Amino acid sequence: GAGVSQSPSNKVTEKGKDVELRCDPISGHTALYWYRQSLGQGLEFLIYFQGNSAPDKSGLPSDRFSAERTGGSVSTLTIQRTQQEDSAVYLCASAAQLNYGYTFGSGTRLTVV
Amino acid sequence: AQSVTQLDSQVPVFEEAPVELRCNYSSSVSVYLFWYVQYPNQGLQLLLKYLSGSTLVKGINGFEAEFNKSQTSFHLRKPSVHISDTAEYFCAVSEGTGANNLFFGTGTRLTVIP
């Protein structure tokens, strides 16, 4: 597609439920990144994919968080047993090559109530 | 480890006045440097980047930034701001040695006052 697409744009969920966030990167971009943006805390790196493999999972906050990417394209970020502190905007970005900079999606605003 | 510091969390400035948003980073190796802008309820948009070469980099919307290796800084400037420049600005750095991740600062909220 023309840009990075994320869905849903907004998600309200009850504490303890599982959620799946989807990212559809720009066609041909091999690198895909997930970040979390909390109010006043900037962007927190979560995980990065090169193709379908994730060389760097160091940012995942806990084992409740997982992500996968299939076909070198769409990625899903799954949060199990959501907690209120998981409330944030989850941003996805893709890149053909890092030194070209990322292209970001508009994000998914997750609210855990 | 990489870190990026944006000292000013909020910068108010009058319309048509100049502005500088500060960014400092820590790295012992060569780096790539970026500035992103986030308008309300939108994703981040690349404003400009430094990879190599001239230390003065020009970006979109009349912004420019200067890479200063000795001071490990990459401050963003605009000589005359517009109301439409009101947004959150993020500085980011990546090690230019094959690392594949950007580290972001905490952002600076620029508010242009009419």
Side-chain angles (χ1 to χ4, degrees), chain B residues 33-99:
Chain B
L33 295 157
F34 303 81
W35 275 98
Y36 284 83
V37 59
Q38 186 177 33
Y39 298 105
N41 300 314
Q42 295 187 28
L44 278 75
Q45 178 182 357
L46 182 64
L47 203 54
L48 51 77
K49 61 186 177 185
Y50 170 79
L51 305 179
S52 64
S54 172
T55 57
L56 184 63
V57 179
K58 294 190 183 297
I60 61 172
N61 301 338
F63 284 92
E64 63 181 30
E66 186 160 18
F67 170 53
N68 187 319
K69 187 175 181 178
S70 63
Q71 297 186 5
T72 60
S73 69
F74 191 54
H75 301 331
L76 181 70
R77 303 185 184 102
K78 185 169 182 177
S80 175
V81 295
H82 302 292
I83 296 291
S84 60
D85 292 325
T86 294
E88 190 90 19
Y89 291 80
F90 292 92
C91 181
V93 61
S94 174
E95 290 183 350
T97 53

Side-chain angles (χ1 to χ4, degrees), chain A:
Chain A
V4 178
S5 178
Q6 290 188 249
S7 60
S9 56
N10 280 283
K11 177 72 176 179
V12 180
T13 189
E14 292 181 351
K15 179 181 174 181
K17 300 280 190 182
D18 298 351
V19 294
E20 273 192 2
L21 312 180
R22 176 187 168 105
C23 173
D24 201 340
I26 291 174
S27 178
H29 280 192
T30 56
L32 185 148
Y33 306 81
W34 283 99
Y35 284 82
R36 178 167 70 175
Q37 185 177 24
S38 302
L39 189 63
Q41 297 195 19
L43 276 76
E44 176 189 3
F45 168 75
L46 298 179
I47 189 170
Y48 140 70
F49 287 91
Q50 181 64 37
N52 291 335
S53 64
D56 189 350
K57 303 180 183 179
S58 62
L60 293 176
S62 73
D63 58 7
R64 296 187 294 106
F65 287 72
S66 63
E68 65 173 13
R69 188 180 186 194
T70 56
S73 181
V74 172
S75 175
T76 55
L77 176 69
T78 301
I79 310 173
Q80 296 178 310
R81 305 180 303 281
T82 51
Q83 304 294 313
Q84 287 186 331
E85 61 262 29
D86 299 335
S87 296
V89 176
Y90 289 82
L91 291 168
C92 176
S94 70
Q97 189 172 339
L98 177 61
N99 60 5
Y100 294 163
Y102 296 172
T103 299
F104 279 88
S106 297
T108 293
R109 182 176 297 277
L110 176 65
T111 304
V112 181
V113 298

Side-chain angles (χ1 to χ4, degrees), chain B residues 11-19 78-86 110-114:
Chain B
V11 174
V13 63
F14 286 104
E15 191 175 15
E16 298 183 4
V19 70
K78 185 169 182 177
S80 175
V81 295
H82 302 292
I83 296 291
S84 60
D85 292 325
T86 294
L110 173 64
T111 301
V112 179
I113 305 164

